[in-house]
Amino acid sequence: MEADVYDLEVIGTIPEALNGTYFRNSADPQYPPLLGKDIFLNGDGMVHSVRIENGHADLKTRYVQTEKLALERKARRALFGAYRNSFTDDPLVAGKDNGTANTSMLWHHGKLYALKESQLPMELDPHTLETKGLSNFGGKLHSKTFTAHPKLDPETGEAIAFSYNGNGEASDKIKIYMIAKNGDITRTECFTAPYCSMVHDYHVSRNYIAFTICPMVCDWERVKRGEPYWHWDAAKQT
């Protein structure tokens, strides 16, 4: 449900010094699955904010206005099938973006983004949660995907991000982006993984960035047969 709830009930007292907004993202399907069943991670992005100010707390919930959500609202039913498998979609949405923007939030360079690792960031208005649209950081994000788990450098204010499936579905390219505290992408690197793998998260230290490549793989021929986008291949090494 999309709603505004003012003056939430408070048990105890909100500290006077605590002022700001807490944002949360979650998967919340607006229609029953097209195929009768689906994984939770394929639900539509629903953003919640709790604004705390002067001892009061207000709640706001809004769907991220993705292309997927707009098309299904118009049809008043689910049109997209299994997770990231366009071969299971209704023909009405052939070639359309199936991104759900449902995993996490990023606050950086004064902007708020809803993130999903299989699509570009969706910018939202931090006060109203209105969807502003997909962002490629001024044309400098040369990928079709963007991690849902960027890291923030506490010393420089940079965001360190990456894209797996960087060149599209089943791609083995992984791209790394350094985003300055003003929002400019200042450095990009690309490498080829040993195989196409689900790279949900990664590790960043002062001197190194480390990726774990494990055999949760995508085989496009299996996807074409209607099988899941990801499957475990025990023959491959981590």
Side-chain angles (χ1 to χ4, degrees), residues 8 28 41 43 53 70 78 83 88 92 96 122 132 135 139 162 172 227 230 236:
L8 298 174
D28 189 359
L41 294 174
E53 190 170 18
Y83 176 75
T88 63
L92 288 173
K96 301 297 183 180
M122 292 285 286
K132 293 188 173 183
S135 172
F162 75 97
D172 58 3
E227 297 184 35
W230 298 115
K236 287 183 167 56

Side-chain angles (χ1 to χ4, degrees), residues 21 47 65 75 85 96 117 129 135 144 148 166 171 196 225 233:
T21 306
V47 175
Q65 299 298 311
N85 189 333
K96 301 297 183 180
E117 63 189 31
L129 299 186
S135 172
K144 296 182 178 181
S171 167
C196 173
R225 295 197 296 267
D233 185 351

Side-chain angles (χ1 to χ4, degrees), residues 198-220:
M198 180 182 180
V199 188
H200 178 72
D201 207 343
Y202 66 137
H203 316 276
V204 176
S205 71
R206 182 182 297 274
N207 297 313
Y208 298 97
I209 297 175
F211 290 88
T212 300
I213 308 299
C214 70
M216 181 68 79
V217 304
C218 177
D219 181 333
W220 201 238

Side-chain angles (χ1 to χ4, degrees), residues 110-145:
K111 293 187 177 183
L112 181 69
Y113 299 95
L115 304 179
K116 172 74 174 182
E117 63 189 31
S118 60
Q119 70 177 138
L120 297 181
M122 292 285 286
E123 185 182 351
L124 307 181
D125 183 296
H127 301 289
T128 67
L129 299 186
E130 175 187 358
T131 301
K132 293 188 173 183
L134 290 169
S135 172
N136 60 8
F137 296 95
K140 294 184 178 180
L141 179 61
H142 302 298
S143 177
K144 296 182 178 181
T145 61

Side-chain angles (χ1 to χ4, degrees), residues 62-77:
R62 293 290 187 274
Y63 271 116
V64 184
Q65 299 298 311
T66 61
E67 183 176 25
K68 172 185 181 296
L69 185 120
L71 289 167
E72 292 186 333
R73 277 192 171 174
K74 184 177 180 180
R76 292 185 178 270
R77 63 182 179 89

